[in-house]
Structure formats: structure tokens, C-alpha cells
Amino acid sequence: MSPWHWLIVCAALAVMLAIIIGVILLIVRVAKPGSTAAPARPVPPGWYPDIADARLIRWHDGHHWTEHVQSR
């Protein structure tokens, strides 16, 4: 092969490698958890339906779910 052929082959390999790296970076950016999601809003304090028992409501203190429950 002449030097020009080697140059063309190397250039083609460099372009393919750049495309592959670009695609990988794009996938990683899109797949990163929380990268595009809006920040979660805090739940205001109050009584909310209890997911463990539909007959109850549970108190949320604004930061954590509490053990306080009552009938609906």
C-alpha cells in the first residue's frame, strides 16, 4: 500500500473512533439519572392517604412520613 492509502485508512479510523466516542458520550449524558429531571418539590405537611392501608391517612411533617395515622 502506498503512504496515501495508509493516510486515508488512518483518517477513516480516526473519524469512526470520534463518532463512536461521541455516541457513547451522548448516551451517558442522556442516561445519567437526574440530569434532566426537575428537582423534587418537598411534600407540604399534612394528612395523606396511607399507601399501606386505604382505610387510613398518615401525617407527613414536611420532611418525613410519621407513624401518626388515623381513620379516613
Side-chain angles (χ1 to χ4, degrees):
M1 280 178 114
S2 72
W4 289 106
H5 287 108
W6 283 111
L7 182 62
I8 293 171
V9 169
C10 289
L13 289 174
V15 168
M16 287 190 297
L17 182 61
I19 291 171
I20 291 170
I21 290 172
V23 169
I24 290 171
L25 290 175
L26 181 64
I27 290 170
V28 168
R29 178 179 286 170
V30 169
K32 187 187 297 184
S35 64
T36 59
R41 285 189 259 159
V43 176
W47 292 99
Y48 294 91
D50 188 352
I51 61 170
D53 188 340
R55 299 169 296 167
L56 301 175
I57 54 177
R58 182 173 298 273
W59 180 256
H60 189 277
D61 66 6
H63 299 285
H64 302 92
W65 293 103
T66 68
E67 295 300 317
H68 304 292
V69 294
Q70 64 182 9
S71 299
R72 287 188 178 218

